Amino acid sequence: MITRGYLIGEIIDELSAIAQQVETRCRLGLTDLNVFLECFFRDMLNAATQDLQLRNLNEERSNEPGLDLGDDIKGVAFQITSTKTSAKINHTLESITPAQKSLYNEINILVIGHKQTRYDGLNDELCNEIGFLAENNIWDIDTVAARCLSLPLDRLQAAHSIIRKDCARVRVELEIRNEDGRYQTMIEDYIEAVPKHKVGTCETLVNCIREKHSVEVNVADYLNGINTLVSKLRHLPRITRDVYGILLTNFEEYDDVDLTLNYAVFKRKCRYGSLDEELVILGEYGLAEVKQPDDHRIGLDSPKIVINGSYGNVDSLIGDLVEYVKDRDLQLHRMIVDIDLSSL
């Protein structure tokens, strides 16, 4: 059971990590915050403060002067900043328009980081005009975290959900390029590498077929068919190739062209939760598909997984491949996953 202490601890840890990133950026002169971060803190402030319904003022008007978030009903507004200095606070107060002053009777500044211990350089005239007090109206990450400590459980869970949902994205948004111009998180690092495929000449495969079945077959036709198969495999995710390889090693029937197995039985055997999604992908690439029985009356045949056996001019290519691999005691499943058909 997730305890209140666990929720609070994770909120504090994540907010502290964000503050540390922002302060690192500030030391490097990177003080900009984008709309996504403003929206994240809008949601956190709405969860951490009672009855506020802040909206992002910059979503309606880019770079709204002075203020970023506002609750027009409660008359409360915030500016979100990464800069904690008195000069920044004064600049913000100077930027607030007369219309904003009449609409919002409480104006706060949220420093994404840690605020100064003292603000002796604030402009008294600006502060007095709107009733701005540094000790009350300058917030930082610690202020938000402290507000979460006393939240009722349902609101604490809401704040924790925001952290879990968006914090990773916030951390990514705050990353800094390294000396090579790369960010720590790059989508290309999450793209699965395609293994370097290997294809033999198919002469060994063809010679085996000739000797075993006393038929004349064309090496070029088999090589063309295998290359067509490989071109499809190279587009598939590894897990999809994995499923295809398992299908080839578990087929039940062969009609000299296609290989089939009972869909319901195989699904019971294979507990992989996304099997149907993989079968859809295999179908889109013409490798295998689920086919319903011709007669849909209850009690008749189950659906079948049909593995396409024909490629190019060779109707029996997959059947011949499976037979060849079995005779040579090779690991077909691994060959498919690695796209290594060099033994042909």
Side-chain angles (χ1 to χ4, degrees), residues 22-153:
V22 169
E23 290 175 345
T24 299
R25 289 175 63 90
C26 287
R27 286 195 294 271
L28 297 174
L30 304 172
T31 60
D32 58 306
L33 295 174
N34 62 27
V35 172
F36 179 80
L37 271 71
E38 292 172 359
C39 290
F40 170 78
F41 285 105
R42 173 202 64 196
D43 295 341
M44 279 303 301
L45 288 168
N46 284 338
T49 54
Q50 297 291 340
D51 301 325
L52 279 185
Q53 294 295 324
L54 297 166
R55 60 186 178 88
N56 194 322
L57 304 178
N58 293 320
E59 288 182 334
E60 299 172 5
R61 176 180 173 183
S62 180
N63 295 320
E64 178 77 5
L67 301 174
D68 298 313
L69 310 176
D71 183 334
D72 297 352
I73 306 300
K74 296 294 190 301
V76 178
F78 283 83
Q79 197 216 26
I80 310 298
T81 180
S82 61
T83 307
K84 61 185 177 181
T85 63
S86 295
K88 174 62 177 178
I89 305 300
N90 286 332
H91 176 72
T92 297
L93 298 180
E94 290 171 355
S95 302
I96 299 172
T97 66
Q100 291 173 338
K101 291 175 184 177
S102 64
L103 182 59
Y104 302 114
N105 52 45
E106 180 186 327
I107 293 175
N108 303 298
I109 295 175
L110 172 60
V111 177
I112 308 305
H114 298 95
K115 63 184 180 181
Q116 298 177 170
T117 55
R118 295 175 60 89
Y119 281 91
D120 295 331
L122 295 184
N123 185 313
D124 291 335
E125 182 179 349
L126 292 172
C127 292
N128 292 335
E129 184 180 358
I130 61 172
F132 186 90
L133 298 174
E135 57 269 29
N136 295 331
N137 299 114
I138 301 177
W139 295 32
D140 62 5
I141 289 295
D142 290 340
T143 312
V144 179
R147 295 274 177 148
C148 291
L149 293 177
S150 58
L151 286 176
L153 182 58

Side-chain angles (χ1 to χ4, degrees), residues 309-325:
S310 176
Y311 289 87
N313 295 326
V314 185
D315 289 341
S316 60
L317 182 81
I318 298 301
D320 291 338
L321 173 63
V322 170
E323 184 181 58
Y324 170 80
V325 168

Side-chain angles (χ1 to χ4, degrees), residues 239-252:
I239 193 66
T240 311
R241 298 197 303 271
D242 201 335
V243 170
Y244 180 64
I246 291 294
L247 293 177
L248 290 179
T249 56
N250 284 272
F251 79 93
E252 299 166 350

